Amino acid sequence: MNWSPRTAFITLLMIGLGAVPLIADGIDEPFYTVMFSRMLILSIGAVSLNLILGYGGMVSFGHAVYLGIGSYMVGIGTIHAIEDGIEWMGNGFIHFAVSIVFSALVGFVIGAISLRTRGVYFIMITLAFSQMFYFVAVGNEKYGGDDGLSLYMRSDFNGLFDISNDNTLYYLNFVILLASLYVSHRIINSRFGMMIRGAKSNEQRMASIGFPVFRYRLTAFVIAGTICGMAGVLSANQTEFVNPSVMHWTRSGDLIIMIVLGGLGTLFGPVIGAVAFLFLEEFLSGITEYWQLIFGPMLVLVVIFARGGIDGMLVLLDGWWNRYSLKNKA
Amino acid sequence: MLRINKLVKSFGGILATDNLTFKVEPGELHAVIGPNGAGKTTLIEQITGEIEPDSGSIIFDGNDISEVPVHLRSAYGLARSFQITNIFMDMTVWDNVALAVQAHAGHSFHFWKNASKEQILREPAFEYLQQVGLEKRADDVAGNLSHGEHRQLEIAMALATRPKMLLLDEPMAGMGPEESKAMVEILQGLKRKLTILLVEHDMDVVFSLADKITVLVYGQGIATDTPEAIRQNPEVRTAYLGEEETVHA
């Protein structure tokens, strides 16, 4: 394996993420486990959005809707499990299964309508759909309405593992992140992935060489939604609280920002971006309440000067590194 | 092979295709010429399905394809190269052609296997690259090719869809003399292997390659004939060739 700076950075990042609970326990700061847990969950969301946005060129501005679906499945399920004693509704496997199915259905409907449009119209329609779900949640008094729901238990996994322990939940998040990265990696290099990337690069040509672009895009849209729905299940368990703001449009915007910050259309870019985003949020909000005032200009600079985001900078660094090591050999 | 039947298309009162009728025989290299704005690209785009005609019909290989969507016309055996280079710039040359092969290798709902290691896609793709003389640049990113090489890649991609008929929209546009010569050789190699409809500005190329020529002026087909007959046709000379020559003089 060629240890370029980029490979080294990404490897260290992933190993580092894997070791967070150990370190946090070691220095007796369990708060870090919770903070990084959030990073992992939003990483999963960003990885899923990157499939359609980064590789497929579909700028969905409503991706947080699936975070909401996953979260509410847990919220609603655990409420009934505790208040009505319906035990199976507190089951984590059922939460995942129902979220996947429901996210897929919603993704199919939103995709089937919005993917007939392009550009700004696509952005607006996906945004409109997600706001629709947002207001449904706000208006639904039975499940907390605007105030949301507090979870009195986390999802139960038949005693296989117990995520009421923060470290166990952390590793569940970590495993699902690794799985979604691996699935992404397989998909983007498969025939299906080539097709999706081709349609981003040149849709007219895809049609003229004989691809029915729409149905492949729709499939990608549904896959991305289901993965993000799983992130929603994890998110609700993490915060033990569900309210409509989890699918507010600003949350969808955050996911896009994470991808752009980390590196659009790269495998690890969304993870790097999610970690960097939440780090900056944590760090900057310690300095000032108006942390976005500093974050905004930083993002503008990244977009202008580093089109490939942080991952793009690492690629540049690799270039310098290669030339430097060549010179040393000569 | 291809029959254009009383085809009409107007854009806001301007007739881009005016009651056009002509026929392309199987195995023929049929050229369409005409001055700028004669409606050549509009004609090609109606044949590929990107523009819908107002009336008239397009019969390809015995099927009326006038209403068939773009991606299905490819399945019927029609392939097109574009006037403006239209490829996947951020992929490698080989990937570009492999993707075109993939389009006709069953559905693409394969989510797991690495497509760039599938010999069933890669090998035929490489053969098409050889046919257009691009095999040495197979692993380069398509965006880094020269203009002439882009056109060669266009043709390799069109061939990869295994068409019965190739629609070439000004394949020599913007090429230098060396590049044009290479392209003429490629077209010579393809002639008789499949039916070709060639839209081209370069008169030398058209008259040296074509079996039949259709002359288009303001959307109307004023003649369809052999190159010799077209050269002699007085109507063509006044409407088109004469005008061209004074421009070149």
Side-chain angles (χ1 to χ4, degrees), chain B residues 99-162:
Chain B
L99 200 49
V101 174
Q102 184 187 322
H104 291 259
H107 65 79
S108 285
F109 289 106
H110 299 276
F111 299 98
W112 212 246
K113 228 161 94 189
N114 190 332
S116 64
K117 289 186 183 135
E118 286 194 62
Q119 291 312 319
I120 200 165
L121 303 176
R122 307 304 284 184
E123 274 169 18
F126 195 76
E127 279 165 33
Y128 293 117
L129 284 177
Q130 284 173 322
Q131 269 190 47
V132 300
L134 265 186
E135 68 277 9
K136 288 200 182 84
R137 310 227 43 181
D139 292 319
D140 292 325
V141 174
N144 294 339
L145 298 189
S146 74
H147 178 72
E149 288 168 327
H150 279 151
R151 312 315 302 245
Q152 285 165 267
L153 178 55
E154 281 272 342
I155 292 186
M157 288 171 74
L159 290 176
T161 65
R162 280 180 288 156

Side-chain angles (χ1 to χ4, degrees), chain A:
Chain A
M1 195 166 174
N2 183 17
W3 282 101
S4 66
R6 179 170 173 240
T7 337
F9 178 86
I10 291 171
T11 313
L12 278 177
L13 175 71
M14 295 314 287
I15 293 174
L17 285 176
V20 163
L22 305 177
I23 298 167
D25 285 352
I27 58 172
D28 207 21
E29 291 276 9
F31 160 73
Y32 285 115
T33 306
V34 174
M35 178 182 152
F36 277 87
S37 229
R38 266 187 81 212
M39 290 182 186
L40 297 184
I41 293 165
L42 287 172
S43 291
I44 299 167
V47 166
S48 72
L49 177 59
N50 189 41
L51 265 182
I52 52 173
L53 194 155
Y55 291 101
M58 294 167 251
V59 187
S60 167
F61 207 153
H63 207 62
V65 96
Y66 309 104
L67 283 178
I69 289 171
S71 294
Y72 270 93
M73 291 303 124
V74 177
I76 294 169
T78 51
I79 285 270
H80 286 296
I82 287 182
E83 289 184 356
D84 306 330
I86 312 173
E87 203 175 312
W88 64 267
M89 288 190 84
N91 187 289
F93 293 112
I94 295 200
H95 293 158
F96 273 120
V98 174
S99 297
I100 286 172
V101 171
F102 200 46
S103 298
L105 280 174
V106 169
F108 184 83
V109 172
I110 297 181
I113 296 167
S114 60
L115 285 169
R116 296 182 190 279
T117 62
R118 297 284 173 271
V120 176
Y121 302 102
F122 180 75
I123 297 173
M124 286 298 135
I125 289 183
T126 50
L127 173 65
F129 270 112
S130 75
Q131 284 302 89
M132 223 168 75
F133 278 88
Y134 172 79
F135 285 111
V136 166
V138 167
N140 192 339
E141 293 299 335
K142 187 169 191 298
Y143 295 115
D146 210 2
D147 300 327
L149 294 167
S150 283
L151 271 63
Y152 295 105
M153 64 175 276
R154 285 182 174 170
S155 300
D156 169 50
F157 287 92
N158 298 349
L160 275 176
F161 46 91
D162 178 12
I163 60 167
S164 63
N165 179 316
D166 276 339
N167 286 4
T168 313
L169 176 58
Y170 185 92
Y171 281 112
L172 177 64
N173 297 338
F174 191 61
V175 167
I176 291 183
L177 172 62
L178 291 183
S180 58
L181 281 169
Y182 183 63
V183 167
S184 288
H185 169 72
R186 296 304 298 223
I187 288 180
I188 55 186
N189 290 306
S190 70
R191 286 194 190 193
F192 179 80
M194 291 301 288
M195 151 69 223
I196 290 299
R197 286 148 74 189
K200 177 198 179 190
S201 175
N202 192 336
E203 188 182 347
Q204 184 192 25
R205 188 63 195 238
M206 287 307 274
S208 90
I209 58 179
F211 281 112
V213 175
F214 176 78
R215 65 186 76 156
Y216 292 106
R217 280 205 163 133
L218 182 55
T219 309
F221 200 84
V222 169
I223 293 173
T226 55
I227 296 175
C228 195
M230 292 168 68
V233 172
L234 298 171
S235 164
N237 277 298
Q238 180 62 55
T239 50
E240 298 180 342
F241 177 68
V242 180
N243 77 348
S245 74
V246 69
M247 55 180 146
H248 193 247
W249 67 272
T250 51
R251 197 29 106 189
S252 299
D254 287 347
L255 289 174
I256 296 179
I257 291 172
M258 287 170 194
I259 295 177
V260 172
L261 187 65
L264 201 66
T266 60
L267 187 59
F268 287 97
V271 182
I272 301 173
V275 171
F277 181 97
L278 292 177
F279 246 126
L280 286 170
E281 182 183 359
E282 189 69 29
F283 174 69
L284 295 176
S285 59
I287 300 172
T288 161
E289 193 185 331
Y290 306 105
W291 65 278
Q292 281 111 329
L293 222 55
I294 309 172
F295 184 71
M298 282 175 68
L299 194 68
V300 171
L301 290 178
V302 168
V303 170
I304 293 175
F305 294 108
R307 289 298 286 272
I310 298 171
D311 190 75
M313 291 190 232
L314 292 170
V315 170
L316 273 182
L317 198 64
D318 272 10
W320 291 332
W321 175 264
N322 282 338
R323 260 167 276 149
Y324 176 78
S325 47
L326 275 181
K327 226 188 279 170
N328 275 13
K329 269 181 202 158

